[in-house]
Amino acid sequence: MSCDRLTFGGKTLLDSRSLSTYDIHDDSTLEQVVDVLGGHCQVPCGIFDDPKLVAEVREQCATIRKAIVQINELHSKGDAQSFNQMTRWVNTKEEHCCKIITAISEYCLCQRVKPVGAPKSPFTNDKDFVDALRSHHSVMVAAMKAKQTVSIEGADALDHAVGDWCKMYLPVTEEQKSQ
């Protein structure tokens, strides 16, 4: 699933609806919107806001957790309105998992995780570099698995992976330095 989306008249087009339901005609103009977390571009401008990225990914995780809880609560009701809301929560969970995967791949792995010896690499040895790659991969896999489940353990695993991953992006406090 792509985190790109199409809009028409300021409204996001949903995959589940046909173009005719939006009153789109041959001469209509659609816009493609790309949602980018944390990093604002892939131009080598050197402007990064890692704490903002971590906050956004944590917010995505909280939304995924809430979606899982809501899906399970609504499933037990069995009425049409609950089914509609449950579907919306499934779509929300999918979207937020996708945003995490995109942030990790396009911002972190493309721009921040650089091999030992590369300009501006934070790593001084191969072990730390490989550990960082593993940490990023764990977040992406946990987000992918969270798409596939309605078990709260999927959210727990994602939170755990993000907790390990974010250590690379948050400043070290004085308390952490003394430990």
Side-chain angles (χ1 to χ4, degrees):
M1 178 177 147
S2 172
C3 285
D4 297 355
R5 55 193 166 91
L6 292 176
T7 63
F8 175 69
K11 295 182 182 177
T12 298
L13 306 183
L14 301 175
D15 290 341
S16 60
R17 294 178 62 186
S18 67
L19 294 179
S20 63
T21 62
Y22 293 101
D23 198 31
I24 296 174
H25 305 285
D26 289 342
D27 60 342
S28 297
T29 301
L30 303 178
E31 293 182 2
Q32 181 179 14
V33 178
V34 180
D35 296 323
V36 179
L37 297 174
H40 58 276
C41 63
Q42 290 185 359
V43 176
C45 64
I47 301 170
F48 300 106
D49 191 346
D50 294 343
K52 176 184 172 199
L53 169 72
V54 170
E56 289 172 345
V57 169
R58 285 181 171 162
E59 183 178 357
Q60 302 293 344
C61 289
T63 302
I64 291 163
R65 177 176 296 279
K66 182 173 183 176
I68 289 171
V69 168
Q70 292 297 310
I71 291 164
N72 283 295
E73 286 178 7
L74 291 163
H75 181 262
S76 65
K77 293 184 179 180
D79 62 282
Q81 182 62 35
S82 296
F83 179 79
N84 181 64
Q85 288 302 105
M86 188 173 56
T87 301
R88 295 181 72 202
W89 278 112
V90 168
N91 290 337
T92 296
K93 180 171 68 93
E94 181 84 13
E95 175 187 338
H96 285 70
C97 289
C98 179
K99 286 181 179 183
I100 291 172
I101 293 168
T102 299
I104 297 296
S105 64
E106 293 181 5
Y107 176 78
C108 301
L109 293 176
C110 286
Q111 299 183 58
R112 303 297 281 153
V113 178
K114 300 176 183 194
V116 175
K120 300 184 181 179
S121 172
F123 307 109
T124 57
N125 61 64
D126 286 334
K127 181 192 178 310
D128 290 344
F129 173 67
V130 170
D131 287 347
L133 290 175
R134 284 187 177 126
S135 176
H136 288 76
H137 183 259
S138 293
V139 172
M140 293 174 70
V141 169
M144 182 257 319
K145 287 184 176 182
K147 288 181 181 188
Q148 301 168 355
T149 188
V150 291
S151 169
I152 202 68
E153 285 80 14
D156 293 342
L158 180 57
D159 285 340
H160 179 77
V162 167
D164 290 343
W165 158 83
C166 73
K167 294 172 187 171
M168 180 178 161
Y169 294 96
L170 295 176
V172 177
T173 64
E174 291 302 318
E175 181 181 322
Q176 290 169 325
K177 286 180 186 176
S178 66
Q179 293 177 355

